[in-house]
Amino acid sequence: MTSTQSQEIPARTVEKPAPTEGARTASKSQLSAEKLPLEAFAKLPFIEMIELSPNGQYFAGVFGVKGEQRILISPLNFDRTKIKMLPIPDETEISRIRWINDDNILISMYGLTRVFDDRWYISRIFGVNRKTGEFTKLLTRQTGQNAAQVIWTPSDGSAEILAAGQGSIYSDEDEFWPGVFRVNVETGKQKRVLKGKQYVTRWGADGSGNVRFGLGYNDRNQTSRLLYAKEGSRAFRTVDKADLGEEESLDVPFYFVPGTDNGWMIRDNAEGKSVIMEHNIATGEDVRTVYENPDSDVIRVKMSHDRSKLLGVRLNAKDNDFEWLDPKVKQAQEVLDEAATNANARIVSLSRDQTKMLVRIGTADNPGLIYFYDHAKGNLSKLASVNEAIGDRRLARAKYVQYEARDGLEIEGVLTLPRGRVAKDLPFIVLPHGGPWSHDSLSYDYWAQFLANMGYAVLQPNFRGSTGYGQAFVKKGQGQMGFAMQDDISDGVRWAVDQGIANPDRVCIMGASYGGYAAMWGIAKDPDQYRCAIAISGVAALRREVNDFGGSIRENLYRKQWRRMTPDFRAVSPLYAIDRIKAPLLLVHGKKDVTVDHGQSSKMYKAMKKAGKAVDFVSLEKADHYFTREADRMALLQSIENFLLTHNPPD
């Protein structure tokens, strides 16, 4: 493992890392303009999902080590004698890492497992001790599909958590419905504190570790209900219901006011704006508005370590804006903003007393740096570059652009332009995001930067149905998958051509997951617009959902939700429109993808070959959905580079 040793610097300046060995005599302008090798973009992020220990002395996260991801626990000074490193189990994804106390972390994982003749998502939790590196499986007696629902963690330094898990995969057995257990993360010992209830799929607790609510769901009628118990009681009663099939929703408390029936929840006010409301759960009456933003909806909250205080909120703005409400943290953010000139400083993790912080400082044209900030002392210490091969180089500049779709709807996107080239008549790549319930913003994107480094202009359109622009914009995607959602992407290309940025004869479309679907569907729906297409982990045949969810507890609900997205799956599936495709297609897919089945690309390849269409297929034996091995990222980028040089060269 390589790292940059921590070093203290004044809090109001941000240290620039030293240039790499091969660039010590180059000027800053030369470093900015020169092209980087493909390997620089394929390099795994040095650290992701980073979390600071409650005492602020250690951190844990997913590290790129020798080309593969590892779970790593380390002191801030990277003392190798105290570092603990563990492999990530094959064919699994880590959904979260969190500290339980100063000595133990909790890891939530999921993966696809063969069950009978189908593949199911299975979720589990594990404890890791930072002193011994011992890996402890938790809820081992729970053999159901989901045994990873953490509903409460301690704030007093103890090692016991509350977690819910299923004990069976058979819905006609009592153990199918998750019970709640007190689990020791060091020993793995468990004790049931609440037996499962029929149709209750989720439980929640207050700050003291008392189970206070349950969420029930019946897929036959897509109805959900909220069960509530008063403080100190185990008597649950239904206090609210919602028809999820008709897009109603339940408001669920994230904080309970001690000694009362009041809870704080994110819910819509009378004007339809999502705010934080104090609500009497027993009576169903609103008590007061705790927080609202005049311009944006609240989508997430950040509580203090002991869950007694609201520290901040995440808003649904396009840049994932975070507003700190705690005065101490807000002041720290202001200091960091002043230090990070022309860059974005984001606090990613806090100590229990909110004085020590892990901070990521980055821009759309640089992967960023990770810092440790001690607000009490005023010291900002660099831990590492996210990508040491790029360091502090400023790559291609990105900016927001707006254009009008053919029906008049305003669409926003991110435009990245190659350095050293006039923004006129450029070879062009349109890069729709995955999801589709997601969005692109002005943050570092290694694919966009790789393409710009080759010489392409890149547009990442936030088509209708994307998040970040309000719920009304999301709902505009309903019924429009394969139709107006795709037109928004094509209209972005036409805008770039009209602006003189893009050469209309040198346009390709590329994307992953839903973006891979959009790439394949783009060359079928608009066959004369694109010179080539690249679909990475893409969906060729829409059925019940992008991920097949047969057997899911919410199977009927998910079917209904996806039927709202398009009236006819087959009519907008690339696999059934191959006769309309003219452009050559590159398919890239990992065999260990647990999000979109490898068979989607395999079927598309076989059908394209049978029809005599130009198609290449790069099937990667060990790659997952996110290409978390450096070797797979190398293979991915090399295949993209070779394909583009053949079918749409940048020069």
Side-chain angles (χ1 to χ4, degrees), residues 74-86:
S74 172
L76 290 169
N77 64 359
F78 286 102
D79 182 346
R80 292 178 181 271
T81 64
K82 297 180 180 180
I83 289 176
K84 296 295 182 292
M85 186 164 57
L86 300 96

Side-chain angles (χ1 to χ4, degrees), residues 31 34-41 389-390 393 395 453:
L31 288 175
E34 71 178 6
K35 287 188 176 182
L36 289 172
L38 179 149
E39 290 80 2
F41 299 96
I390 294 175
R393 289 176 173 82
L395 304 178
N453 186 70

Side-chain angles (χ1 to χ4, degrees), residues 155-218:
S155 59
D156 61 358
S158 61
E160 289 190 337
I161 65 170
L162 286 183
Q166 293 175 274
S168 171
I169 63 172
Y170 300 105
S171 58
D172 59 349
E173 294 184 357
D174 290 343
E175 290 296 307
F176 178 80
W177 305 104
V180 179
F181 301 84
R182 188 170 294 275
V183 185
N184 188 299
V185 299
E186 291 183 334
T187 66
K189 290 183 179 180
Q190 66 184 66
K191 179 181 179 181
R192 188 168 69 183
V193 298
L194 186 67
K195 186 178 180 180
K197 297 180 182 296
Q198 188 176 36
Y199 297 122
V200 176
T201 59
R202 177 185 163 195
W203 296 99
D206 61 21
S208 299
N210 303 304
V211 183
R212 298 290 299 278
F213 74 85
L215 285 180
Y217 176 74
N218 190 329

Side-chain angles (χ1 to χ4, degrees), residues 298-325:
V298 179
I299 59 173
R300 199 174 304 161
V301 300
K302 174 67 176 178
M303 300 294 291
S304 60
H305 183 72
D306 62 2
R307 289 170 301 283
S308 66
K309 183 167 57 174
L310 178 64
L311 298 181
V313 296
R314 185 170 296 283
L315 306 173
N316 75 335
K318 63 192 179 186
D319 286 319
N320 297 315
D321 294 337
F322 201 95
E323 182 175 347
W324 292 107
L325 306 179

Side-chain angles (χ1 to χ4, degrees), residues 280-577:
N280 187 299
I281 304 170
T283 65
E285 297 177 347
D286 290 337
V287 178
R288 67 185 179 102
T289 299
V290 177
Y291 170 85
E292 68 176 311
N293 185 283
D295 302 315
S296 300
D297 290 337
V298 179
I299 59 173
R300 199 174 304 161
V301 300
K302 174 67 176 178
M303 300 294 291
S304 60
H305 183 72
D306 62 2
R307 289 170 301 283
S308 66
K309 183 167 57 174
L310 178 64
L311 298 181
V313 296
R314 185 170 296 283
L315 306 173
N316 75 335
K318 63 192 179 186
D319 286 319
N320 297 315
D321 294 337
F322 201 95
E323 182 175 347
W324 292 107
L325 306 179
D326 178 78
K328 184 165 53 178
V329 184
K330 185 176 182 179
Q331 182 188 47
Q333 182 68 66
E334 291 171 353
V335 173
L336 291 166
D337 288 340
E338 186 176 341
T341 307
N342 298 321
N344 177 47
R346 181 168 59 92
I347 298 171
V348 296
S349 187
L350 294 155
S351 62
R352 67 167 64 89
D353 64 1
Q354 293 103 51
T355 64
K356 300 175 179 64
M357 309 168 188
L358 292 176
V359 182
R360 180 167 180 168
I361 298 178
T363 60
D365 56 8
N366 182 270
L369 308 170
I370 301 294
Y371 286 86
F372 172 73
Y373 178 49
D374 188 326
H375 185 52
K377 295 181 179 179
N379 295 326
L380 190 66
S381 310
K382 191 181 79 171
L383 292 180
S385 299
V386 175
N387 184 326
E388 294 178 336
I390 294 175
D392 68 334
R393 289 176 173 82
R394 304 302 285 265
L395 304 178
R397 296 294 173 88
K399 63 179 180 180
Y400 283 117
V401 296
Q402 290 78 32
Y403 61 90
E404 194 173 276
R406 62 193 67 182
D407 64 355
L409 182 67
E410 183 173 280
I411 304 296
E412 187 168 62
V414 178
L415 178 67
T416 305
L417 296 171
R419 282 193 175 275
R421 301 190 69 164
V422 177
K424 184 176 178 62
D425 205 33
L426 292 170
F428 194 80
I429 307 288
V430 61
L431 184 63
H433 61 71
W437 299 287
S438 179
H439 68 274
D440 285 311
S441 60
L442 283 179
S443 57
Y444 181 77
D445 185 306
Y446 83 96
W447 286 1
Q449 288 294 336
F450 167 68
L451 294 169
N453 186 70
M454 287 185 67
Y456 299 97
V458 182
L459 176 66
Q460 297 168 271
N462 288 324
F463 44 83
R464 72 191 67 199
S466 300
T467 58
Y469 300 90
Q471 194 61 27
F473 191 82
V474 172
K475 288 190 174 183
K476 286 184 182 295
Q478 291 185 352
Q480 298 303 322
M481 182 181 291
F483 298 103
M485 287 172 69
Q486 193 72 35
D487 291 339
D488 292 346
I489 298 169
S490 295
D491 291 344
V493 173
R494 291 168 188 158
W495 167 84
V497 170
D498 291 343
Q499 294 293 310
I501 298 169
N503 183 325
D505 298 321
R506 304 175 71 190
V507 178
C508 287
I509 182 170
M510 167 180 152
S513 202
Y514 176 84
Y517 158 78
M520 289 185 278
W521 185 239
I523 57 174
K525 189 175 189 296
D526 298 296
D528 296 318
Q529 179 164 270
Y530 299 108
R531 189 166 171 174
C532 63
I534 301 171
I536 303 159
S537 310
V539 180
L542 294 169
R543 293 193 294 161
R544 294 175 291 190
E545 195 241 350
V546 172
N547 306 326
D548 197 354
F549 47 75
S552 167
I553 290 175
R554 298 193 172 199
E555 180 175 356
N556 290 329
L557 175 64
Y558 292 157
R559 281 177 175 164
K560 181 177 284 190
Q561 289 174 338
W562 277 91
R563 286 191 187 109
R564 287 197 183 99
M565 296 303 295
T566 190
D568 187 341
F569 285 165
R570 187 182 180 94
V572 293
S573 289
L575 186 64
Y576 308 117

